[in-house]
């Protein structure tokens, strides 16, 4: 078979693969496209059948109402800074605990790790009442502290600890031995050798932690009551008319603005996310 024929077949195969992937992409892309374009449509066009890919009459009034009907800018900032603190805090706690479980030998290590992993089996709905009573006792209800402390030190950080542990296990022990020969202590070895090498795992932890905090809904509903302290998932439910019906164009505009940071974070760190999850499966 000539090289020209093989090149032609390879080109056809590539075109077919991309064609199939493009078709499979439609169910995932169309809802987002519909959300964004519908935020510029009059209410009468939003549920038109068949759905239109572009608005017949472009309008921007919904985006103005997003900020007029409630303090959306403040709520946006609330979600942004809470997600940032939770992400950084979870990465710090998970990297330290993951390194300890992977590299430090101590009595009861495996038993303790199994106990930690049981946190993955406990739904957040089970602990929400006792946690509410605890934070209420300390006067932290209607503050952002529960939304910061629970994800960093509670069950949501267990998966992050597991990922970091699995990654640190894959690192060669010769690196630590060389560090000890150079006079580095345990924390210095972690800080100067282990942590820089764990950037892919940290990227994976950072992405899913940010998304989890950004999309958190139950906890803000339970802990927060002031509109100025709402986070975005809770704020999206407040765009209703005088009869309690949803203001679809305004809700879609607010949802489109809410989705922007998620897309930006994933586009920036998607490579680290894939690499981190791939490396954690190399060794159990």
């Amino acid at each position: 078979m000539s090289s020209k024929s093989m090149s032609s077949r390879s080109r056809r195969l590539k075109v077919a693969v991309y064609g199939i992937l493009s078709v499979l992409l439609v169910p995932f892309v169309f809802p987002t496209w519909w959300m964004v374009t519908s935020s510029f449509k009059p209410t009468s066009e939003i549920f038109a059948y068949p759905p239109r890919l572009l608005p017949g009459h472009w309008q921007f009034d919904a985006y103005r109402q997003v900020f007029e009907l409630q303090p959306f800018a403040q709520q946006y900032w609330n979600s942004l800074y809470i997600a940032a603190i939770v992400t950084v805090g979870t990465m710090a706690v998970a990297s330290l605990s993951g390194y300890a479980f992977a590299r430090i030998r101590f009595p009861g290590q495996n038993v303790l790790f199994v106990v930690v992993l049981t946190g993955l089996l406990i739904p957040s709905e089970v602990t929400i009442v006792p946690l509410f009573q605890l934070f209420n006792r300390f006067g932290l209800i209607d503050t952002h502290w529960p939304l910061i402390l629970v994800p960093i030190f509670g069950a949501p950080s267990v998966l992050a600890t597991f990922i970091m542990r699995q990654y640190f296990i894959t690192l060669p022990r010769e690196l630590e031995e060389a560090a000890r020969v150079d006079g580095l202590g345990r924390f210095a070895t972690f800080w100067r050798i282990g942590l820089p090498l764990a950037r892919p795992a940290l990227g994976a932890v950072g992405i899913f932690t940010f998304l989890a905090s950004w999309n958190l809904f139950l906890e803000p509903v339970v802990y927060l009551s002031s509109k100025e302290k709402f986070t975005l998932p809770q704020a999206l439910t407040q765009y209703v008319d005088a009869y309690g019906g949803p203001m679809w164009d305004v809700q879609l505009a607010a949802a489109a603005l809410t989705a922007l940071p998620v897309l930006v974070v994933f586009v920036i760190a998607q490579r680290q996310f894939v690499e981190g999850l791939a490396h954690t499966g190399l060794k159990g």
Side-chain angles (χ1 to χ4, degrees):
M1 184 180 294
S2 65
S3 59
K4 184 176 180 180
S5 176
M6 292 179 63
S7 176
S8 177
R9 177 175 296 181
S10 176
R11 190 179 300 111
R12 288 197 299 268
L13 179 61
K14 185 180 294 186
V15 171
V17 170
Y18 280 115
I20 295 173
L21 291 177
S22 298
V23 173
L24 295 177
L25 190 65
V26 171
F28 299 95
V29 173
F30 181 75
T32 303
W33 176 269
W34 180 86
M35 175 186 69
V36 175
T37 56
S38 295
S39 65
F40 296 100
K41 296 177 183 178
T43 306
S44 58
E45 288 187 18
I46 293 178
F47 296 104
Y49 186 82
R52 305 183 60 172
L53 294 179
L54 292 172
H57 303 281
W58 290 80
Q59 65 174 25
F60 301 87
D61 188 59
Y63 285 89
R64 177 181 57 81
Q65 294 185 59
V66 166
F67 294 93
E68 289 182 349
L69 296 178
Q70 59 177 334
F72 190 76
Q74 178 63 47
Q75 295 162 348
Y76 210 99
W77 167 249
N78 293 341
S79 283
L80 196 60
Y81 96 84
I82 290 173
I85 293 176
V86 169
T87 300
V88 174
T90 300
M91 291 169 66
V93 172
S95 59
L96 286 168
S97 56
Y99 184 82
F101 281 120
R103 293 303 191 187
I104 302 176
R105 295 290 176 258
F106 55 88
Q109 176 187 21
N110 294 330
V111 175
L112 180 60
F113 185 65
V114 170
V115 172
V116 171
L117 287 182
T118 57
L120 293 173
L121 307 177
I122 303 176
S124 59
E125 294 81 1
V126 173
T127 60
I128 194 71
V129 173
L131 284 175
F132 178 87
Q133 295 175 340
L134 176 65
F135 286 117
N136 186 45
R137 181 172 301 178
F138 287 98
L140 298 178
I141 298 301
D142 201 25
T143 72
H144 293 149
W145 282 109
L147 307 183
I148 295 173
L149 296 177
V150 172
I152 293 178
F153 298 104
S157 67
V158 173
L159 180 59
T161 299
F162 175 78
I163 290 177
M164 296 305 301
R165 173 188 179 271
Q166 296 303 103
Y167 193 91
F168 283 127
I169 286 177
T170 66
L171 298 182
R173 290 192 173 274
E174 290 77 10
L175 295 174
E176 291 184 336
E177 294 173 359
R180 284 196 292 269
V181 171
D182 290 338
L184 295 181
R186 177 68 69 179
F187 182 79
T189 302
F190 161 78
W191 182 257
R192 299 178 61 178
I193 297 178
L195 198 60
L197 292 175
R199 287 179 181 176
L202 286 172
V205 169
I207 286 181
F208 77 71
T209 301
F210 183 89
L211 295 182
S213 178
W214 187 262
N215 295 324
L216 204 62
F217 178 73
L218 175 63
E219 286 77 1
V221 170
V222 172
Y223 295 122
L224 303 178
S225 57
S226 302
K227 280 193 174 183
E228 293 76 13
K229 298 178 181 178
F230 281 3
T231 56
L232 289 178
Q234 189 178 7
L236 293 177
T237 65
Q238 304 300 308
Y239 292 107
V240 295
D241 57 25
Y243 300 98
M247 303 172 65
W248 291 109
D249 54 341
V250 181
Q251 284 190 358
L252 290 172
L257 293 173
T258 300
L260 282 178
V262 174
L263 296 176
V264 171
V265 169
F266 185 78
V267 168
I268 292 176
Q270 61 178 330
R271 182 177 178 182
Q272 288 77 11
F273 180 75
V274 174
E275 290 182 359
L277 293 184
H279 279 79
T280 56
L282 292 179
K283 187 174 181 181

